[in-house]
Amino acid sequence: MKKLSLCNVFFCMLVSCSTESDIELSDNPSNNTSTSKKSSILSGNQSNPFDGDGKKYDDALLSYLQNNEAPDTIEELTAQIQFISEEYTTSNNNLTITPEHVSLIMNDPINKLLGTIENSSLGMQAKAEVVGFIENLIDLQEEEYEQIYNYIISYETQVIANTELSTEEKQSILIISSISTYALEGESKRKDKDWETSVGNREPKPFFDYNQTPLISLIALLDAII
């Protein structure tokens, strides 16, 4: 009940925070890009002062994929997130990622997101910002990367201009958005590569849905960011 109450508070606060971005996305004619085409890869945001944190995540992911296939089971995704956690976070803030934890996020990402944010030190508005941002990413999960990227850049611009968030809260939010950009970019590149190699071949359906692994990873790593 406590989490549901917090969720209701978040939804009330999010009306003014997210409506403008949602309208911009829904009105953009480029949002109807066919999923059969290769995405136009856009990378990072130099206007985000914490873009380097997203690049650091991306470097850790690429390092893992040099010796491992993209995850296709919960256990494989757990190993990938654990590796990224150890590479990305400081030594005194390492996380222990378990298959059970990953499975819970996969089956109920919003509830796990709320639980993590509720226990963070962020203020109420900052908590609402993070929840609204990640909920919107989940809603956009099946869209082309270009649309998601445009949403993230627009959101980061709003956060940077926000005068009600503290410097520390802006930092946490912008790190989360930067990691999201690079994580979802990597998924888009992988999808494009898979599409090229699967033309004319009948490939088995992957275990995870498109963009599901980066979103699960992001929620799992929140404890190390906020």
Side-chain angles (χ1 to χ4, degrees):
M1 292 299 292
K2 185 177 181 182
K3 290 179 180 177
L4 290 175
S5 298
L6 180 61
C7 183
N8 290 333
V9 173
F10 283 160
F11 286 151
C12 290
M13 294 183 66
L14 284 168
V15 172
S16 61
C17 296
S18 60
T19 302
E20 183 177 348
S21 298
D22 293 341
I23 292 174
E24 289 174 355
L25 284 172
S26 61
D27 289 346
N28 188 342
S30 67
N31 293 343
N32 297 321
T33 305
S34 170
T35 55
S36 64
K37 292 183 179 181
K38 290 183 61 178
S39 309
S40 175
I41 299 300
L42 305 167
S43 183
N45 179 13
Q46 296 304 310
S47 297
N48 181 345
F50 303 100
D51 186 71
D53 287 84
K55 187 65 172 63
K56 185 177 179 182
Y57 171 95
D58 188 50
D59 289 342
L61 176 60
L62 292 176
S63 178
Y64 179 82
L65 292 176
Q66 283 181 349
N67 300 307
N68 299 274
E69 296 291 332
D72 200 40
T73 67
I74 288 177
E75 289 73 19
E76 290 173 356
L77 180 55
T78 301
Q80 176 178 289
I81 298 172
Q82 185 65 56
F83 179 90
I84 293 172
S85 171
E86 293 170 358
E87 292 287 307
Y88 176 82
T89 62
T90 57
S91 58
N92 61 347
N93 199 27
N94 282 339
L95 303 175
T96 299
I97 310 297
T98 66
E100 291 74 21
H101 183 55
V102 172
S103 181
L104 286 172
I105 297 174
M106 178 179 175
N107 293 327
D108 194 355
I110 298 299
N111 193 46
K112 292 301 296 181
L113 169 64
L114 288 173
T116 301
I117 298 302
E118 180 182 4
N119 295 323
S120 74
S121 60
L122 295 175
M124 186 59 71
Q125 182 180 352
K127 288 179 179 180
E129 289 283 351
V130 174
V131 170
F133 172 70
I134 297 179
E135 282 186 331
N136 284 338
L137 290 183
I138 292 172
D139 288 341
L140 291 168
Q141 180 177 331
E142 296 182 2
E143 303 299 332
E144 287 295 313
Y145 173 70
E146 184 174 357
Q147 179 181 348
I148 300 173
Y149 175 84
N150 289 336
Y151 162 69
I152 295 174
I153 299 304
S154 175
Y155 178 76
E156 290 179 337
T157 300
Q158 294 177 30
V159 171
I160 292 170
N162 191 310
T163 59
E164 298 180 4
L165 296 168
S166 70
T167 301
E168 292 76 15
E169 288 172 336
K170 285 187 179 183
Q171 177 177 344
S172 295
I173 295 170
L174 291 172
I175 288 174
I176 291 169
S177 63
S178 178
I179 290 174
S180 303
T181 304
Y182 283 93
L184 292 163
E185 176 195 358
E187 179 80 352
S188 180
K189 288 179 178 178
R190 185 186 64 79
K191 186 198 76 167
D192 288 344
K193 182 178 179 181
D194 290 347
W195 182 80
E196 288 178 343
T197 57
S198 65
V199 173
N201 298 318
R202 186 169 183 174
E203 298 290 333
K205 185 180 185 300
F207 180 77
F208 296 104
D209 293 335
Y210 178 55
N211 280 334
Q212 190 173 26
T213 58
L215 293 173
I216 291 173
S217 300
L218 177 63
I219 295 174
L221 291 170
L222 283 177
D223 280 325
I225 302 172
I226 56 178

